[in-house]
Structures are given as C-alpha cells and as structure tokens.
Amino acid sequence: MVKFALRLEARPTPSRLMSWLSPVLAVLLTVLCGALLFVALGHDPLAGLAVFFVEPLRDAHGWSELGIKVAPLLLIAVGLAICFRANIYNIGAEGQLTLGAICGGAAALYLDDGVGGATVIGVSLLAGMAGGMAWAGLVAWLRDRYNASEILVSLMLVYIAQLLLSYLVYGVLRDPEGFNFPQSKLLSDGLLLPMVISDTRLHVGIIFALLASLGGWLYLSRSISGFRLRVGGMAPAAARYAGFSSRKTLWSSLLICGALSGLAGACEVLGPMGQLTPTVSPGYGFAAIIVAFVGRLHPVGVLFSSFVMALFYIGGELAQSRLGLPSAITGVFQGILLFALLACDVLIQYKLRWRKHG
C-alpha cells in the first residue's frame, strides 16, 4: 500500500527578502486569524478589528496611550535583542523590570520630600537601572560560575521578584494611610516623570526608549564590543579562535538588558502608576520577547513590532469594554502573532514535500 508523508526539506538558499518580510506577513496572518476569531465569538469581524487596530489611532489621546505601552516594550526589547544576538537567552526581563520598579520606587519614596525635582527623579531612575542590572547580574554569575542555564535561572527569578514586590507592598512599603490596601503611598507630583505632550499621560519614558533603540543600533553596528558580541552569537568557534571573550559577552549583554528592563520598571512607577502596587506590569517582559523576534533582533526593527504589540494591549482593553470580551484576548493575539512568525520562518528555511512510501 502506497503511503504519503509530508516532510520538511531544507531550502538551499533561503530568501533574504522573505526573511525581512516575514514579520509583516505574520502580522497580516494575525489580523486574518483575529477576524476568524471574532466570527467564532459571534462578533462582526470588521468591527472587532477596527476596535483593535483603528480605534486607538483616532485621536491624540489614543496615540499618547499607545506611546505609554510602546515605551516599556521598546526598552526591554532592545535589551533582549542584544542578548539574543549574543546567543544569551534571557527570558526573565519581567523579573528585571520588577526589580527596577522596586528599587526605583523605593528610592523615590525614600527621597520624597514633597518637592522632588530632576535630581531626585534621576537618582530614582538610576536606582531602577541598578536593580535591573543586579537581577540580570545574578543570572550572569550563575551561568558564568556554575554553567547554570540562563533560560531557567532568569525565568525562575521572575517569580522571586514578583513575590518580593508583594512582600514589600504588603509590608514595609505599604502606605500607613492607605486603608490597609497593598500599595505604597502616592508619589509627589514633583517626582513624576515630565509629560511629553500636555494634557496626556505620555511621559519622557518614550524618549528614553527611542534613545535606547538608537543606542542599541550604534552599539551593535558601530562599536568593536558590539561586533564581538555579534560574532560570538553567530559563530562561537570563530569568536574563540579570534580571542573574543565569551565571559565578557555574557556579562555585557545581560547587564545592558537588565539596565534597560530596570529603567522600564522605574518609568512605570514614576510615570503612569505613581506608586508601587503588587503588579507593576501586565507582562511587558514576556511580550517583549515576541517584540524582539518580530523586530528581527534589530534595535531599530523592534520599533515596528513594539508598536504592533502596544496596539494589542490597547485594543484588548477596548475589546473588553466595548465588545465584552475577556482580558485573555490580548494574550490570544500575542500568541497568534508568535505562532504565525514561527510558521513563516520555518517555511522560509524549509519547503514542504510529499514523500511516497511503500
């Protein structure tokens, strides 16, 4: 009896053009799958897609709210892109963000004299970056000293960071006048980040994110250290032969990522939140992993993907209030985007072939 099996066959020369167009195709496939999802849920697909992709862009307020989501996603994704280019799979940016929020928020609360100012804000942001670097440095040390998997260590540290945050806001950092709610006191107005656009919530964190994207591109493409990092990620044997230090690559990439993630956390506390609560992130650290890969691990390419991911967050919030959909709809769109990207990338590297057996 003749049987047929579907096999993947490696392409001799994968298309470079399709490699760059793959993220765009993945976004289009996500939109198509989203339309089918709305139909399955009994909603008008055009109206549902409009809520996700058009409604947030109708006015300046929508754009400003989008920028608030883009800022942490872009900051973290730039750091993750640097890590992944070095072949260091840091999955715990969420924990580094949380430590940045704890350290930045605690510094702001300690220095809060009711007046604030640029100096106190700067110190708080630096404290946030130091917290993120310390958490990422722990991953680097365990990998360097004991050859522990950075994937598992960084991921487990996420939950430790979140539990530490809960311990603090239920304990020493809890507002004594907050009616026993697990939250710190509100920061003074002088400690909040300046607004970029008046009458909106868009703060200078978006400027930090854009500068990080530019700085990440210059680091990877115009510096000797960035060149060594890229070579170590693409060809570890060649990097060792050339005398490039794998330890230096490990530490530098993780510390850069930790600093940017910690800065994102501190900006959340000193920006739209204005205080510490048991949850400072809706999962930016994990979503930024998708952002980094959709952006092709390029510090400038992640600008596009962070914008798309921010649309998912804002669109998900609007879908809850206007269409009555659950909050999980945001995660569904994120998962579809990742799956579509992986499928496109596989088909770029391989082609499907029917093989006859028997």
Side-chain angles (χ1 to χ4, degrees):
M1 181 178 179
V2 178
K3 295 182 179 180
F4 291 90
L6 192 61
R7 300 290 182 92
L8 289 174
E9 182 179 300
R11 297 180 185 273
T13 54
S15 171
R16 184 175 178 82
L17 175 61
M18 286 305 300
S19 177
W20 285 102
L21 291 178
S22 176
V24 178
L25 182 57
V27 171
L28 294 178
L29 288 173
T30 303
V31 173
L32 176 61
C33 291
L36 296 175
L37 177 63
F38 286 125
V39 171
L41 293 173
H43 293 281
D44 181 355
L46 294 180
L49 292 176
V51 167
F52 256 85
F53 299 106
V54 178
E55 196 66 29
L57 308 178
R58 286 189 181 276
D59 51 29
H61 173 74
W63 280 94
S64 66
E65 291 298 309
L66 199 65
I68 292 174
K69 302 291 187 185
V70 167
L73 288 169
L74 182 54
L75 278 170
I76 301 169
V78 170
L80 288 176
I82 291 173
C83 272
F84 296 157
R85 291 284 286 270
N87 217 15
I88 305 297
Y89 286 93
N90 175 21
I91 308 299
E94 183 78 3
Q96 293 144 34
L97 177 150
T98 303
L99 252 291
I102 291 173
C103 294
L109 290 168
Y110 179 76
L111 298 173
D112 192 353
D113 56 0
V115 178
T119 301
V120 179
I121 291 175
V123 170
S124 300
L125 294 177
L126 289 174
M129 295 176 70
M133 290 176 70
W135 217 238
L138 184 56
V139 178
W141 179 72
L142 289 172
R143 164 70 186 274
D144 185 24
R145 181 69 177 81
Y146 300 103
N147 199 30
S149 168
E150 74 275 12
I151 297 175
L152 295 176
V153 171
S154 60
L155 182 59
M156 293 300 101
L157 285 174
V158 171
Y159 304 105
I160 297 175
Q162 291 173 342
L163 290 171
L164 176 61
L165 174 61
S166 294
Y167 171 77
L168 292 173
V169 296
Y170 276 94
V172 295
L173 294 181
R174 184 167 57 183
D175 183 5
E177 300 178 1
F179 302 100
N180 216 31
F181 285 103
Q183 60 191 29
S184 71
K185 70 175 185 178
L186 289 169
L187 297 175
S188 303
D189 290 342
L191 275 173
L192 300 179
L193 295 176
M195 299 298 113
V196 174
I197 303 176
S198 58
D199 299 325
T200 69
R201 300 195 305 154
L202 184 60
H203 52 79
V204 295
I206 187 64
I207 297 178
F208 297 154
L210 294 173
L211 290 175
S213 178
L214 176 61
W217 173 72
L218 291 174
Y219 172 72
L220 287 176
S221 63
R222 295 292 186 271
S223 71
I224 297 297
S225 178
F227 172 74
R228 291 174 176 171
L229 183 145
R230 287 186 290 115
V231 171
M234 291 185 296
R240 288 193 297 270
Y241 181 78
F244 297 165
S245 172
S246 59
R247 294 185 69 233
K248 186 175 181 180
T249 297
L250 169 69
W251 280 93
S252 61
S253 59
L254 278 170
L255 290 179
I256 290 172
C257 186
L260 292 176
S261 300
L263 178 61
C267 285
E268 286 297 292
V269 175
L270 274 65
M273 295 180 62
Q275 63 181 158
L276 278 170
T277 65
T279 303
V280 296
S281 164
Y284 291 139
F286 295 118
I289 297 173
I290 304 176
V291 170
F293 280 104
V294 174
R296 287 338 222 177
L297 304 184
H298 193 290
V300 178
V302 295
L303 272 170
F304 160 76
S305 51
S306 61
F307 176 81
V308 173
M309 190 62 69
L311 272 178
F312 288 171
Y313 276 110
I314 300 295
E317 294 172 0
L318 292 175
Q320 292 177 61
S321 60
R322 300 191 182 183
L323 301 178
L325 296 178
S327 60
I329 190 68
T330 299
V332 170
F333 269 82
Q334 292 175 353
I336 293 173
L337 177 60
L338 179 59
F339 182 81
L341 180 69
L342 293 174
C344 291
D345 285 350
V346 167
L347 293 178
I348 289 171
Q349 299 293 328
Y350 301 90
K351 51 188 174 183
L352 294 173
R353 291 290 191 195
W354 285 101
R355 293 291 181 87
K356 185 167 62 174
H357 298 276

